[in-house]
Amino acid sequence: MAEVKPKTKTKKTRQQDPEGTKRNITEVAMREFVNRGLSGARIDEIAANTNTSKRMIYYYFGDKDRLYLHCLEEAYREIRDGETALKLDHLTPKDALKKLVEYTFEHNNNHPNFVRMVMIENIHHGSFIDRSDIIQKLNATVVNDLEEIYLRGVEEGVFRKGIEAIDLHWHISALCFFNVSNRDTFTKIFEKNLNSDAEQAKLCQQVVAMIMRFVAA
Amino acid sequence: MAEVKPKTKTKKTRQQDPEGTKRNITEVAMREFVNRGLSGARIDEIAANTNTSKRMIYYYFGDKDRLYLHCLEEAYREIRDGETALKLDHLTPKDALKKLVEYTFEHNNNHPNFVRMVMIENIHHGSFIDRSDIIQKLNATVVNDLEEIYLRGVEEGVFRKGIEAIDLHWHISALCFFNVSNRDTFTKIFEKNLNSDAEQAKLCQQVVAMIMRFVAA
DNA sequence: CTCATAACTAACTAATTAGTACATTTCTAT
DNA sequence: ATAGAAATGTACTAATTAGTTAGTTATGAG
């Protein structure tokens, strides 16, 4: 019964803490991966920054690839976990879409780890996503929510017909993702600091405007 | 006089071919870097795929980092070299902008090496761009062209006021870049094949629409 | 022709780094 | 309390991999 995890029921003075150790390793590994990429990440470096040893990384995660996959899944889980609380049903289609776009913009901005893990995954041609059962299941929601809003808008005559929800999601993602993924090179090449709150607020507003105008009837 | 390069004037039966060797190494290295990232790329693998030996990589490029930087610069050079022939001056602002966006979309699509090198560079926080004198100089043109078109459009009353050319460039880049950079993960997660010509044509048209509507008066 | 230098080859090294062997401690169920 | 399993620490190994050493061959100027 190797799969039986000892739940942390009794939180008294325990010195062994498997869940905590795993969590600690995951956090440190995530930092290392997002900063250096999959191949650039060093297991020794991760080990040195945990409260535990390299041995435990292999004990819990098997090898580097599986540790990376775990971090990738964790990044997807984190970003999707925060996504439920929007309550868009009782808003007008326009307001709902606006809120969704603003939210996506902020969300990408607040989760650079997610953005960077996806970048890394694309460098590796998405080969780890293939192997993950979990990630597939985490993504239906966004497009469904979006489709609902869009169809409602079309029905009410405020959105034009003929757009597919997934395409809309594609464009929203593009604008919000790129803002985080390419900030380093863009900032350096065009010598424009995009990190300030004011600049980000302006960009967010522009992204919203772009999407709203795109779907407008 | 170590810097004196023997120009390939006399192209008779020569067995030594420094320029060709460098070009060959660069091509192979580019393939390796874009497929595996900076840290994932293997010098031995590059060497094995050239017509020459590992020794020559070090002979001409010094070390792995400088080889990578050379490839990065080459990717920027390639993409900027193709950019001159647009001739947007005698078009209406709308047509000119449309053409520029279409062109950017196609150009990113046709130069995945460029897109992927920029992705890799962002993973590494743009640290190599810092070290490159060349790349800085290659980027003024796009934004200038765009600004000219935009200002002309504002003057003629077809574009609204208050948009900065660099922001416009930011959004165009986002939409066109993401289309290439994130295709692997997006395709796999949403199980939608975006590689077909029809799908790409649709996306391109939508990107154009999005930008045109965004700037419309 | 010949000599200096640039272009090139093959075999080697030093360091890094993913992964392991083995011993020990802590916990849990009986 | 104790046996068996899970969790952990220390020291090691085997492979990989960036980079080099020590040379040979081609080329072009004089």
Side-chain angles (χ1 to χ4, degrees):
Chain A
M1 296 275 173
E3 281 78 16
V4 174
K5 288 178 200 164
K7 298 278 155 66
T8 359
K9 287 171 194 167
T10 49
K11 281 227 170 180
K12 46 186 173 180
T13 55
R14 71 156 64 210
Q15 310 201 341
Q16 290 191 350
D17 179 14
E19 293 306 318
T21 302
K22 275 187 256 185
R23 222 178 310 119
N24 178 232
I25 291 172
T26 305
E27 280 165 18
V28 175
M30 184 83 81
R31 272 210 303 280
E32 178 77 2
F33 283 126
V34 300
N35 277 318
R36 304 192 197 277
L38 169 53
S39 316
R42 296 288 163 247
I43 296 286
D44 285 312
E45 189 64 22
I46 294 170
N49 288 306
T50 59
N51 302 323
T52 179
S53 65
K54 179 156 80 155
R55 176 69 186 78
M56 296 312 291
I57 297 174
Y58 287 96
Y59 183 68
Y60 282 122
F61 297 99
D63 59 20
K64 189 184 180 183
D65 277 6
R66 270 176 283 177
L67 176 61
Y68 167 78
L69 181 57
H70 178 76
C71 288
L72 184 67
E73 292 177 338
E74 195 55 32
Y76 269 94
R77 201 176 295 120
E78 271 178 31
I79 203 164
R80 291 304 179 226
D81 276 358
E83 261 181 2
T84 39
L86 274 183
K87 292 275 183 190
L88 301 168
D89 312 350
H90 39 63
L91 296 176
T92 66
K94 276 190 178 180
D95 285 346
L97 181 56
K98 184 166 180 256
K99 193 169 173 185
L100 184 72
V101 174
E102 281 170 350
Y103 177 77
T104 306
F105 189 92
E106 291 293 330
H107 209 45
N108 276 272
N109 227 342
N110 293 332
H111 292 82
N113 280 359
F114 169 76
V115 171
R116 293 179 67 83
M117 287 302 285
V118 174
M119 290 165 74
I120 293 164
E121 186 55 13
N122 273 292
I123 291 292
H124 294 275
H125 306 280
S127 59
F128 287 84
I129 280 183
D130 277 343
R131 289 181 235 168
S132 173
D133 309 319
I134 298 172
I135 293 175
Q136 306 288 347
K137 297 170 188 161
L138 291 165
N139 282 282
T141 343
V142 210
V143 180
N144 287 344
D145 288 3
L146 194 55
E147 178 151 44
E148 204 193 313
I149 296 169
Y150 171 69
L151 290 176
R152 216 147 43 83
V154 170
E155 213 169 307
E156 293 182 20
V158 293
F159 296 160
R160 66 189 169 105
K161 280 183 190 167
I163 303 173
E164 280 180 67
I166 189 145
D167 289 341
L168 198 49
H169 177 61
W170 177 247
H171 296 304
I172 295 170
S173 291
L175 293 163
C176 297
F177 190 96
F178 183 90
N179 178 49
V180 181
S181 69
N182 285 49
R183 201 176 299 170
D184 283 332
T185 54
F186 204 92
T187 299
K188 290 184 178 181
I189 286 174
F190 295 103
E191 287 168 340
K192 170 154 193 173
N193 190 314
L194 296 161
N195 290 306
S196 74
D197 286 354
E199 198 63 43
Q200 283 297 306
K202 189 183 74 177
L203 282 174
C204 180
Q205 185 209 307
Q206 289 180 349
V207 169
V208 170
M210 193 150 349
I211 297 296
M212 297 311 293
R213 282 166 170 247
F214 177 65
V215 298
Chain B
M1 297 274 174
E3 280 79 14
V4 174
K5 287 179 201 164
K7 298 278 155 63
T8 359
K9 287 171 195 166
T10 47
K11 282 227 172 182
K12 45 185 172 179
T13 54
R14 72 153 64 208
Q15 312 200 342
Q16 292 190 348
D17 179 14
E19 295 305 319
T21 301
K22 276 187 254 184
R23 222 179 309 120
N24 178 231
I25 292 173
T26 305
E27 279 166 18
V28 175
M30 182 84 81
R31 272 211 303 280
E32 178 77 3
F33 283 126
V34 299
N35 277 318
R36 303 192 197 277
L38 169 53
S39 317
R42 297 287 163 249
I43 297 285
D44 285 312
E45 189 64 24
I46 295 169
N49 288 305
T50 60
N51 302 323
T52 178
S53 66
K54 179 154 81 154
R55 179 67 186 81
M56 295 314 289
I57 297 173
Y58 287 95
Y59 182 69
Y60 283 121
F61 297 99
D63 59 20
K64 191 184 179 181
D65 277 7
R66 270 176 281 175
L67 177 61
Y68 167 77
L69 180 58
H70 178 77
C71 288
L72 184 67
E73 291 177 338
E74 195 53 32
Y76 270 93
R77 200 175 297 119
E78 271 178 30
I79 203 165
R80 291 304 178 226
D81 276 358
E83 261 179 4
T84 39
L86 274 183
K87 292 277 182 189
L88 302 167
D89 313 350
H90 39 64
L91 296 175
T92 67
K94 275 190 179 181
D95 285 345
L97 181 56
K98 183 165 181 255
K99 192 168 174 183
L100 184 70
V101 173
E102 281 170 349
Y103 177 79
T104 307
F105 189 92
E106 292 293 331
H107 209 46
N108 276 272
N109 227 341
N110 293 333
H111 292 82
N113 280 359
F114 169 76
V115 172
R116 295 180 66 84
M117 287 302 284
V118 173
M119 291 165 74
I120 294 165
E121 186 56 12
N122 273 293
I123 290 292
H124 294 276
H125 306 281
S127 59
F128 288 83
I129 281 182
D130 277 342
R131 291 181 234 168
S132 173
D133 310 319
I134 298 173
I135 293 176
Q136 306 288 347
K137 297 171 190 161
L138 289 166
N139 280 283
T141 342
V142 209
V143 180
N144 287 345
D145 288 1
L146 194 54
E147 179 151 43
E148 205 193 314
I149 296 168
Y150 171 69
L151 290 177
R152 215 147 44 85
V154 170
E155 212 170 307
E156 294 182 19
V158 293
F159 296 160
R160 67 189 168 104
K161 280 183 192 170
I163 303 172
E164 280 181 69
I166 190 150
D167 290 341
L168 198 50
H169 178 61
W170 177 246
H171 298 303
I172 295 170
S173 291
L175 293 162
C176 297
F177 190 95
F178 183 90
N179 177 48
V180 181
S181 69
N182 284 49
R183 201 177 299 171
D184 283 332
T185 56
F186 204 92
T187 299
K188 289 184 179 182
I189 286 175
F190 295 103
E191 287 169 339
K192 171 155 191 171
N193 191 313
L194 296 160
N195 290 304
S196 73
D197 287 354
E199 199 63 42
Q200 284 296 307
K202 190 183 72 177
L203 283 173
C204 180
Q205 185 209 306
Q206 289 181 348
V207 169
V208 169
M210 194 151 347
I211 298 296
M212 298 310 294
R213 282 166 171 248
F214 176 66
V215 298

